[in-house]
Amino acid sequence: MDATIATFLIQDGVTNGAIYALLGLALVLVFAVTRIIFIPQGEFVAYGALSLALLDSGKIPGTAPMLIAFGMAAMALDLWALRRGFNLTSFIRSLVVNLALPAAIYGLVALMAPIELPAILRAGLAVLIIAPMGYYIYRIVYRPLVDASVLVLLIASLGVHLFMMGLGLVFFGPEGLRARPLAEGSFPLGPLVVTTQSLWIYGVTILIIVGLYLFFEKTLLGKALRATAVNRLGARLVGVRTQLTGVTALVLAAIIGAISGVLIAPVTTIYYDTGFLIGLKGFVAAILGGLGNFPLTAVAAIGVGLVEAFSSFFASAYKEVIVFGLIIPVLVWLSFGAGHHEED
């Protein structure tokens, strides 16, 4: 170990930590608003990365037909709910959201996939495919369990994770894929060689963090999400539609996960099950941040990335154990000050 190696490890740690920060923020957002420990967050990362890789090769990614299947399942549930009292407005809205939207996205992807689009447009197309999945997953799985306990929601999240990972294997296969960089090139910075892709990761992470801050502070919907996070029952009593805030949280999580995927797709080879491990590291950052503090989660994520980078140098065989072991002292410390409730 010398100064040059340490500098490279710090660069890798900060780059990985930026991705973990995005995932940690998404996990904190979903948990604060819906009480869901959203284990499938990593699947959005894998889906976004694999979709971009297939779009780079001119193929229609498996997430496009998968989106149609999700929409049909949500439509079936809406029809079942309408059996008690038919409402034309609700029926038309369901048709548009559950059938027309996925079909339109599939048509756009089929039209654009063979075309040699700029890298940023292909990345945007991959995010567009993944974003509605947040809504469909909420509608199919979590909306019927809206008043369930945290434990039931956790078990449901585990089931969603296993289901989505299986779908990833079916639609993408076991082979790993890697996308082309969003921007080619690199430049020296002292002893470092900084790639343009790394700058994309840093820049997009900062933009998302600033965007989330402005969303929560300046928009009515963002304030509704904050109110739901502070007191769910109180938010209901003052007229906040908690189902809408739950849907919004899941859609934002899907968008953040897909963006994370397209950012790391050119950096490393992604498999159908890669997202789980990446998502767990974002979960470690969320736990270190207390599952409720956005700035602390972002700082903790950078720390997780640095610990991972230096662990890979000093004890590469145990780097995952070291990273996941970070949450043990935090959980022990929190357990001393946490009040225990019958529901928990």
Side-chain angles (χ1 to χ4, degrees), residues 192-204:
L192 294 177
V193 177
V194 180
T195 64
T196 309
Q197 184 66 33
S198 297
L199 295 181
W200 268 98
I201 293 174
Y202 306 147
V204 171

Side-chain angles (χ1 to χ4, degrees), residues 18 27 39 41 134 152 161 171 177-178 207 216 218 224 227 255 274 280 322 338:
L27 289 167
I39 298 175
Q41 181 65 42
V152 172
H161 155 67
F171 282 94
L177 298 173
R178 179 179 292 204
L207 283 177
F216 286 121
K218 304 298 182 181
I255 292 173
T274 302
L280 277 182
I322 294 172

Side-chain angles (χ1 to χ4, degrees), residues 22 41 90 99 106 109 119 128 138 142 145 148 150 168 192 199 211 240:
L22 292 179
Q41 181 65 42
S90 299
L99 298 182
Y106 184 91
V109 172
L128 179 64
Y138 182 85
Y142 296 111
L145 302 174
V150 175
L192 294 177
L199 295 181
V240 174

Side-chain angles (χ1 to χ4, degrees), residues 51 60-69 102 105-106 109-110 129 133 171-172:
S51 297
I60 299 176
T63 43
M66 190 190 306
L67 189 66
I68 293 178
I105 292 176
Y106 184 91
V109 172
I129 298 171
M133 289 187 181
F171 282 94
F172 294 106

Side-chain angles (χ1 to χ4, degrees), residues 67-79 90-103 135-136 139:
L67 189 66
I68 293 178
F70 282 175
M72 293 174 65
M75 183 68 192
L77 288 176
D78 283 350
L79 290 176
S90 299
F91 178 71
I92 294 175
R93 185 189 303 117
S94 181
L95 280 177
V96 172
V97 174
N98 297 326
L99 298 182
L101 178 62
Y135 168 78
Y136 298 131
R139 175 64 187 91

